[in-house]
Amino acid sequence: MADPRGFLKAGREVATRRPVEERVHDWNEVYPDGIGRALLPIVNLQASRCMDCGIPFCHQGCPLGNLIPEWNDLVWRDDWEGAMERLHATNNFPEFTGRLCPAPCETACVLGINQDPVTIKNVEVSIIDRAWADGNVRPQPPEWLSDKTVAVIGSGPAGLAAAQQLTRAGHTVALYERADKPGGLLRYGIPEFKMEKQHLDRRIDQMKREGTVFRCGVEVGQGNLTAERLRDRYDAVVLAIGSTVPRDLPVPGRELNGIHQAMEFLPQANRVALGETVEGQIRADGKHVVIIGGGDTGADCLGTSIRQGAASITQLEIMPQPTDERPAGQPWPTYPMLFRVSSAHEEGGDRVYSVSTKEFLGDADGNVRALRLVEVAFEGGKLVEHEGTEREIPADLVLFAMGFTGPEQPGLVEQLGVELDPRGNVERDKGYQSSVPGVFVAGDAGRGQSLIVWAIAEGRAAASAVDEFLTGSTTLPAPIPPTARPVVV
């Protein structure tokens, strides 16, 4: 275990971000030289706060089953290579989760019952960033090859995890991605200031060296590569196509110019930040920007709009402002709804809670010019508008960041003929297999919109199920069944 009195000696401490006035003028990560390096002066002491609590509820908080007390102990003892091995035992891509996951492991930390929890996420990312810097992350090609072939459709975190696990098990894996480069929303949905794409590119390079074949710019279900041909060509198929149908807001004025989904805006900004040219790019320069949705995607739109030089930015949320302390109705170890301040929120913009959009107002040219909103509250289980609270706010650019409703059905899903659940997700059995034999489903396509740790866990578990389907047995880990859900009250 780490220092038995570590949690009594040291308080919680996190890495210092770059000054706001500096970082808003570039697209680099908000930590100096990257978060892993920024954490090195404090990470050993922070790891020592792990309590060796006997029953580590952080394991329950993380669906990957990360061996958190073990690698905390190894970091405290300065055994970084050992810590990397224990980290990789349960997580294919800790550099992604260490940057992007909201850390449900920390809200389940036993120390967090009455103190500030261990900085688990920060220790995780410091381990993997140092491992890359020291050259300890190497390809792990299979010792032998089976005669089985697998197609993985979608190269987000679930697809990448499934493909890497199946490749290492000896199967010939082709990973299809309709975008020009692999990574899914990791590449074109996540801004550079949250995760620089060098972290994604070097992991994909590792996978290529292990034997995974990437086929980008191919939309399966369109053109010559139909679902029928796909099934004829491969012994098994893994659908990891995500939940990509965005939630819309059908109120008067929706047809006006200047109203866009976040996933129209963010991918274009990411491409430009990476040096590409985007014709007709949606930009926030000099505009009054309104972001509808208070989650992570909304924060990504906020940080991007700031860097593009927006005149003002207002982020709207229909729910009331969360409290700073854990609500009584969301006790430990559940993940509580708290008032959280991301790096983008530090940089500017206004956050407005308990409001609903009534109408978009346009000018004579058909462009949005303002948004009419009203204050709301939940009363008796229903959303009630407060009379006399309607007002207008200027809006030259409106971005919807309200989440997603399910996977796209036209094309591949329809051609496969897989059954859907009542929410529109692809139905699967306890072994991640859909209603079509040999077709498996991992990640948001089957679970619905969720966190990156759930996507990676499902990718690993689905790979185990595919391996058993192809060979009759498996040694691949299966961290969660498809029915697993976070603990809630």
Side-chain angles (χ1 to χ4, degrees):
M1 63 175 292
D3 185 348
R5 297 179 58 82
F7 68 97
L8 298 174
K9 297 176 181 177
R12 181 182 172 99
E13 186 178 359
V14 298
T16 302
R17 295 165 176 157
R18 294 190 290 137
V20 169
E21 58 271 17
E22 171 191 318
R23 69 191 196 226
V24 296
H25 296 294
D26 62 50
W27 293 93
N28 301 329
E29 286 189 9
V30 299
Y31 296 92
D33 299 318
I35 185 171
R37 188 176 297 276
L39 286 164
L40 287 180
I42 64 173
V43 71
N44 296 77
L45 184 61
Q46 290 303 301
S48 77
R49 298 182 69 238
C50 188
M51 300 171 63
D52 187 31
C53 53
I55 301 177
F57 271 77
C58 54
H59 287 188
Q60 170 274 324
C62 179
L64 284 165
N66 282 334
L67 305 172
I68 294 164
E70 294 187 30
W71 39 258
N72 274 325
D73 173 58
L74 291 165
V75 167
W76 179 66
R77 297 177 187 278
D78 228 21
D79 184 356
W80 290 88
E81 191 165 357
M84 178 205 70
E85 291 174 354
R86 301 313 291 150
L87 186 55
H88 270 149
T90 57
N91 188 352
N92 297 68
F93 314 119
E95 64 270 41
F96 304 165
T97 55
R99 287 173 166 82
L100 305 176
C101 180
C105 55
E106 293 187 13
T107 58
C109 173
V110 171
L111 183 58
I113 295 174
N114 57 7
Q115 293 189 38
D116 291 329
V118 177
T119 53
I120 299 169
K121 175 179 170 179
N122 284 358
V123 177
E124 173 186 39
V125 76
S126 66
I127 294 169
I128 189 59
D129 278 11
R130 176 157 178 169
W132 280 107
D134 292 346
N136 290 328
V137 183
R138 306 179 184 92
Q140 300 178 36
E143 296 181 0
W144 57 274
L145 294 177
S146 72
D147 60 349
K148 304 298 183 181
T149 57
V150 183
V152 178
I153 316 302
S155 65
L160 290 173
Q164 185 167 61
Q165 292 293 95
L166 288 166
T167 297
R168 290 175 174 178
H171 306 303
T172 300
V173 179
L175 201 160
Y176 288 87
E177 169 57 54
R178 64 183 175 182
D180 58 337
K181 293 180 180 179
L185 293 185
L186 290 171
R187 182 174 299 279
Y188 292 128
I190 302 297
E192 282 283 283
F193 57 81
K194 282 182 69 174
M195 187 181 80
E196 295 178 6
K197 300 309 172 281
Q198 61 170 317
H199 304 294
L200 175 61
D201 289 335
R202 64 189 180 188
R203 189 61 81 169
I204 289 171
D205 180 66
Q206 179 201 37
M207 292 178 65
K208 289 179 178 178
R209 291 173 183 270
E210 292 171 349
T212 302
V213 176
F214 288 83
R215 294 179 176 166
C216 298
V218 179
E219 185 161 2
V220 183
Q222 304 290 331
N224 293 327
L225 190 53
T226 62
E228 182 179 3
R229 290 190 177 184
L230 184 76
R231 294 193 63 210
D232 288 342
R233 185 180 299 180
Y234 295 95
D235 296 308
V237 174
V238 179
L239 292 180
I241 57 177
S243 176
T244 56
V245 178
R247 184 173 282 106
D248 207 9
L249 186 60
V251 300
R254 172 63 180 87
E255 74 285 352
L256 292 169
N257 300 321
I259 302 174
H260 302 277
Q261 292 287 349
M263 286 306 153
E264 297 176 281
F265 173 70
L266 290 173
Q268 293 183 358
N270 284 348
R271 287 181 180 276
V272 171
L274 293 169
E276 299 182 28
T277 299
V278 176
E279 296 294 333
Q281 182 191 1
I282 303 165
R283 293 191 60 90
D285 313 60
K287 297 179 180 178
H288 297 289
V289 179
V290 175
I291 302 164
I292 301 179
D296 288 342
T297 302
D300 294 344
C301 292
L302 171 63
T304 299
S305 297
I306 289 171
R307 284 160 178 76
Q308 290 184 353
S312 70
I313 307 170
T314 306
Q315 188 174 6
L316 306 181
E317 171 58 60
I318 199 169
M319 301 297 290
Q321 179 172 329
T323 59
D324 292 328
E325 302 294 330
R326 181 187 285 273
Q330 299 170 17
W332 176 90
T334 63
Y335 188 80
M337 296 299 295
L338 299 175
F339 182 75
R340 294 179 170 89
V341 178
S342 70
S343 64
H345 293 131
E346 293 176 342
E347 296 164 0
D350 296 320
R351 302 164 81 176
V352 181
Y353 292 89
S354 298
V355 293
S356 178
T357 302
K358 293 281 288 183
E359 183 181 6
F360 299 111
L361 306 174
D363 61 18
D365 297 321
N367 301 311
V368 66
R369 65 167 181 82
L371 180 151
R372 179 176 293 131
L373 54 79
V374 63
E375 294 181 10
V376 295
F378 283 93
E379 298 176 5
K382 296 181 179 180
L383 191 66
V384 178
E385 297 181 359
H386 288 178
E387 292 185 12
T389 62
E390 288 192 17
R391 64 183 186 274
E392 293 181 12
I393 59 174
D396 306 310
L397 174 63
V398 178
L399 301 172
F400 293 165
M402 301 178 294
F404 303 89
T405 61
E408 297 174 27
Q409 297 178 21
L412 179 59
V413 171
E414 287 184 349
Q415 290 176 19
L416 286 169
V418 293
E419 293 182 3
L420 305 178
D421 68 18
R423 296 182 299 158
N425 301 316
V426 182
E427 189 75 70
R428 61 264 179 95
D429 64 16
K430 62 181 180 180
Y432 288 89
Q433 190 166 201
S434 73
S435 58
V436 178
V439 177
F440 296 78
V441 186
D444 291 0
R447 170 172 293 273
Q449 180 182 338
S450 189
L451 304 179
I452 184 172
V453 281
W454 287 92
I456 295 174
E458 285 216 354
R460 288 170 63 86
S464 176
V466 172
D467 188 37
E468 185 172 5
F469 171 80
L470 294 174
T471 65
S473 64
T474 184
T475 58
L476 294 178
I480 57 171
T483 54
R485 293 293 185 271
V487 173
V488 295
V489 176

